[in-house]
Amino acid sequence: MKYGQQESSENYLETILMLSSHGSSVRSIDIVNELDYTRPSVSVAMKKLRESGFIEVNTEGYITLTEAGLKIAESMYERHQIISNWLISMGVDEKTALDDACRMEHVISEQSFLAIKNHVEATR
């Protein structure tokens, strides 16, 4: 999978996780509304995620993460939370920190992320 495709897939999976964490069922239209993407774009992405085994879509159109999809989504969410909180703690305004964390979470190496995570946890 190419980098851009991987980042996009990770964003979709993280969004599904976030939407489902509110206790409601997730449909494609919810993702369209949350990300402000077009219906056709979301439809194509959901098809690719389903074919890759990251989501399941039932006959009513409700989307759930598979075990593999959940693992990626939780990893991206953890990265987002830790990186954004770290940036905010260093004085970056919240909007910038959230925007930067959204980009950084996809490209940072595991080694660098773990170093940041350990630093953040040690300074609490």
Side-chain angles (χ1 to χ4, degrees), residues 3-4 22 32 36 39 42 44-45 47 50 60 64 66 78 87-88 98 100 103 107 109-110 112 114 116 122:
Y3 163 70
H22 301 302
V32 167
D36 198 28
R39 287 179 187 224
V42 171
V44 168
K47 181 179 180 198
R50 189 178 68 249
E60 290 87 35
T64 55
T66 63
E78 177 188 39
L87 292 170
I88 291 167
L98 293 172
D100 287 347
R103 289 187 296 276
V107 297
S109 70
E110 186 68 17
S112 293
L114 289 175
I116 291 169

Side-chain angles (χ1 to χ4, degrees), residues 1-12 106-107:
M1 187 179 300
K2 295 179 184 171
Y3 163 70
Q5 292 172 329
Q6 177 182 335
E7 178 182 7
S8 177
S9 295
E10 290 169 348
N11 275 336
Y12 280 113
H106 303 286
V107 297

Side-chain angles (χ1 to χ4, degrees), residues 84-123:
S84 61
N85 289 335
W86 173 62
L87 292 170
I88 291 167
S89 76
M90 292 190 303
V92 177
D93 69 270
E94 185 175 0
K95 180 177 180 350
T96 302
L98 293 172
D99 290 345
D100 287 347
C102 195
R103 289 187 296 276
M104 293 169 66
E105 70 194 38
H106 303 286
V107 297
I108 193 169
S109 70
E110 186 68 17
Q111 180 181 4
S112 293
F113 172 71
L114 289 175
I116 291 169
K117 180 179 176 180
N118 291 336
H119 173 77
V120 167
E121 290 174 351
T123 58

